[in-house]
Amino acid sequence: MQLTDNTIFITGATSGIGRALAEAFHGLGNQVIIAGRRRALLDEVAAANPGMVGIELDIADPRSIAAVADRLVREFPKLNVLINNAGIMPFDDPSKPLDDAVSQAILQTNLLGPIRMTSALIEHLKAQPRATIINNTSVLAYLPLAGNAVYSASKAALHSFTLSQRFMLRETSVSVQEIAPPWVDTDLIRKSGDPRAMPLDAFIAETMQKLAGDAEEIVVDAISAIRDNPGAGEHKLINDFNAAIIANPIPV
Ligand SMILES: NC(=O)c1ccc[n+]([C@@H]2O[C@H](COP(=O)([O-])OP(=O)(O)OC[C@H]3O[C@@H](n4cnc5c(N)ncnc54)[C@H](OP(=O)(O)O)[C@@H]3O)[C@@H](O)[C@H]2O)c1
């Protein structure tokens, strides 16, 4: 994507990766609108970055998404970048009965949230001369962490949705990129300084550098071997598969 001259809406920007991405884009002179549930943090981040605007959003609530999308289109008609970043990562154990409320919260936040947010803004984005949707998945989309089974599944599902979305938007002005972070030291679980976690600054620096190209997926070098686990050529396979289905449609 082009890193400058954008109007960017980023969900989950009250902390961690979202806040750091918002600040990196703000530093490059973009108009950045941040979202999250915690009003005090929205105000704090906006105050630290003059010109940034904070909007309250509960990505798990379809009414909140609809209201925010309406406001964005009205107040920021040049909005051309949507970064679906908000997420939660509760632990679970699929060898035992799961807490249904927790599973629902994960799927509402991590999967239906980005799907609904994109859906609410897609016609607006297509009307822009140049637009980008970025979905933040995870390395766990490719290598599930069994103790976060529903989380890993939500990210694998968002990866799958992203592949379909990219294909269906292939002839529009909207490009679709995926960021699949490694373990990054944020409050997602608990900021711990664990040496296995990538420091946030280093992650953002490498991610911004890779976002600048046309890469479909932004994967830091440290986890490229994990991403390659399903095998090379996945995009070609998916594009060829979908082209073949279009050429010979499934009867409906
Ligand atoms: N850190 C990692 O190791 C890692 C690895 C791979 C992928 N990721 C992904 O990166 C994204 C950001 O995570 P992070 O590591 O930066 O964690 P974080 O610091 O905990 O940030 C999560 C953000 O999501 C927002 N959020 C959560 N539920 C929300 C809701 N219902 N409505 C609106 N916003 C909501 C939070 O804002 P409020 O609480 O203010 O609403 C917060 O800004 C997530 O999608 C996560 O899955 C992280």
Side-chain angles (χ1 to χ4, degrees), residues 20-35:
L21 279 177
E23 292 183 329
F25 278 112
H26 178 80
L28 292 171
N30 298 283
Q31 170 67 65
V32 178
I33 304 116
I34 58 170

Side-chain angles (χ1 to χ4, degrees), residues 27-211:
L28 292 171
N30 298 283
Q31 170 67 65
V32 178
I33 304 116
I34 58 170
R37 292 165 300 182
R38 290 171 288 177
R39 181 78 250 173
L41 280 175
L42 289 170
D43 292 344
E44 183 189 310
V45 178
N49 298 278
M52 205 182 268
V53 175
I55 296 184
E56 263 177 72
L57 166 73
D58 181 354
I59 199 74
D61 177 358
R63 285 164 306 180
S64 176
I65 291 174
V68 168
D70 280 354
R71 183 175 162 194
L72 287 169
V73 169
R74 247 184 301 114
E75 294 181 19
F76 300 95
K78 289 186 175 170
L79 180 82
N80 72 324
V81 178
L82 164 63
I83 305 182
N84 286 308
N85 167 77
I88 54 171
M89 190 177 175
F91 291 96
D92 54 29
D93 181 348
S95 72
K96 297 177 182 157
L98 291 175
D99 182 331
D100 194 61
V102 174
S103 297
Q104 286 195 43
I106 296 170
L107 293 172
Q108 294 275 351
T109 305
N110 296 1
L111 179 59
L112 285 172
I115 290 173
R116 289 170 174 149
M117 196 73 244
T118 308
S119 174
L121 290 172
I122 192 66
E123 295 303 339
H124 175 83
L125 292 172
K126 282 193 293 188
Q128 305 308 307
R130 169 177 61 78
T132 304
I133 297 167
I134 297 173
N135 291 327
N136 186 347
T137 62
S138 169
V139 65
L140 301 182
Y142 309 101
L143 181 71
L145 185 59
N148 291 92
V150 179
Y151 174 85
S152 299
S154 76
K155 295 296 189 173
L158 184 57
H159 166 66
S160 170
F161 181 79
T162 304
L163 292 167
S164 299
Q165 188 177 51
R166 181 180 299 119
F167 182 85
M168 297 308 275
L169 287 165
R170 70 198 179 286
E171 284 166 7
T172 72
S173 61
V174 186
S175 58
V176 181
Q177 290 181 294
E178 174 180 350
I179 299 176
W183 181 6
V184 181
D185 200 18
T186 69
D187 289 327
L188 187 63
I189 298 173
R190 187 175 63 82
K191 203 178 291 173
S192 62
D194 190 299
R196 294 168 298 174
M198 189 166 185
L200 182 58
D201 287 359
F203 169 73
I204 294 297
E206 190 173 341
T207 295
M208 291 300 286
Q209 192 199 339
K210 290 184 166 166
L211 267 178

